Amino acid sequence: MTSIGGAEMVDWNLAVATATRFVRPGPDVSREEARAVVAELRRHAKAAEVHVRGFTRMIPDGHEPKDTPVLVVDRAGWIQANVAGFRELLKPLLDKMQERRSGSAGSAMLGAVGGKVTGVELGMLLSFLASRVLGQYETFAPATRELPAGDPSGPGAGGGRLLLVAPNIVHVERELEVDPHDFRLWVCLHEETHRTQFTGVPWLRDHLEGEIQSFLGETEVDPMTVLERFREAAQSLSGARPEGEEDESGRSIVELVQTPAQREILSRLTAVMSLLEGHADFVMDGVGPDVVPSVAEIREKFQQRRARGASRLDQALRKLLGLDAKLRQYRDGERFVRSVVEEVGMDGFNRVWTSPNTLPTKAEIAKPADWVARVHRKADS
């Protein structure tokens, strides 16, 4: 735990307890149905591995990477896993905030606010997200007895674990009124692509972690400002803040903590995340017609759901948390992958995984031809 003025800055256990308490209940399913859903998701995850590897050709024969676990979890399990991940990734930031505030005039007030309040606020945000995530390849969280993870060390190891959030998948398939068996496989294709990206590209995990840590290490924002930002989001969730009230700055939490150096790092991170998300969407739709009979209906309804959004409260929270940017990443990244594959084929596209230098820039995501010119024409000349 990081502490300031003798008080924990984030009470992680309270964050888990709060999120678990306030997360929305999942769909009404019988115990037998729940077991059947879990079993089917595990089967689909295994089948998706074969389909994704065959389509992407990212992992050559004879170069099998170390395996990483596939875990079917409920919303509470997703919360536990993500708190562990946040704790790992945010440690450098919290350490820096402690150093800046230690001994200052405001440290006593921050200590009074303390980890209890921050834990509650983080828990409220996680409770909001826990009912919306269908699946996630979790790259950085440490393994626990309840939530094992792959070994990040050694050749060909990707680390991490694949989480499939069963109640959320069931909720969305019912909401969209699509074939549940097809939808579950369709989701698994997307998430398995992320798993293949990290297990098939050994340097990707360390590169991404290095960029994130550099971003956090450059943070110079006052800790009270960060806490206030979390508080605004928590108040929106609890109803303490009127639903129609707009945030004065209109900026997300991520946008709030940007120095000039961070803007450069964030630009690179945005490009990488757009690539990963867009690639997963591209693969999901590319494999889909052969193995998911109702893929066209699923895609159309799912896109409508994304575009439609939800209440003004939901939209405000998405903006505050930067989730609108994530939706743009799906769209822009998928367009980049599709354009490159159409021009140079799948094997030509796979040059993107050669090294950090062959990753697209943010500008190249918007102009795929520029990436092709830089990576292919220079290499082939």
Side-chain angles (χ1 to χ4, degrees), residues 20-40:
T20 303
R21 177 182 177 186
F22 286 98
V23 69
R24 296 176 182 177
D28 185 20
V29 296
S30 67
R31 184 170 299 180
E32 289 185 2
E33 184 179 2
R35 282 198 292 261
V37 170
V38 170
E40 184 173 27

Side-chain angles (χ1 to χ4, degrees), residues 103-173:
S104 68
S107 62
M109 181 172 62
L110 185 59
V113 173
K116 299 296 183 185
V117 173
T118 311
V120 169
E121 291 167 350
L122 178 59
M124 292 296 291
L125 295 180
L126 287 169
S127 72
F128 167 77
L129 295 171
S131 62
R132 286 157 172 78
V133 176
L134 301 182
Q136 173 185 358
Y137 187 76
E138 214 190 15
T139 316
F140 307 114
T144 64
R145 183 172 60 182
E146 295 81 11
L147 295 167
D151 182 4
S153 62
R161 58 197 171 205
L162 178 59
L163 305 180
L164 298 170
V165 191
N168 296 351
I169 293 173
V170 172
H171 171 78
V172 174
E173 70 192 25

Side-chain angles (χ1 to χ4, degrees), residues 21 52-53 63 89 98 137 148 185 204 219 235-236 255-256 258 261-262 273-274 285 288 297 327 356 358 371 380:
R21 177 182 177 186
V52 168
R53 291 188 181 186
H63 293 78
L89 282 179
Q98 177 189 17
Y137 187 76
L185 177 55
L204 183 58
T219 298
Q235 288 172 351
S236 294
E255 291 171 322
L256 183 71
Q258 286 190 51
Q262 281 182 310
M273 298 311 298
S274 296
D285 289 344
E297 177 191 3
L327 294 179
T358 56
W371 180 87
D380 296 339

Side-chain angles (χ1 to χ4, degrees), residues 253-308:
I253 290 173
V254 171
E255 291 171 322
L256 183 71
V257 290
Q258 286 190 51
T259 65
Q262 281 182 310
R263 282 193 287 272
E264 293 183 12
I265 299 169
L266 188 61
S267 177
R268 295 195 300 268
L269 278 171
T270 299
V272 174
M273 298 311 298
S274 296
L275 170 69
L276 299 181
E277 296 294 357
H279 183 236
D281 264 13
F282 176 79
V283 173
M284 179 170 58
D285 289 344
V287 174
D290 292 331
V291 298
V292 181
S294 59
V295 64
E297 177 191 3
I298 291 172
R299 166 53 80 185
E300 180 181 0
K301 290 184 175 180
F302 197 77
Q303 292 285 48
Q304 290 174 353
R305 181 178 184 270
R306 276 182 182 172
R308 184 170 63 248

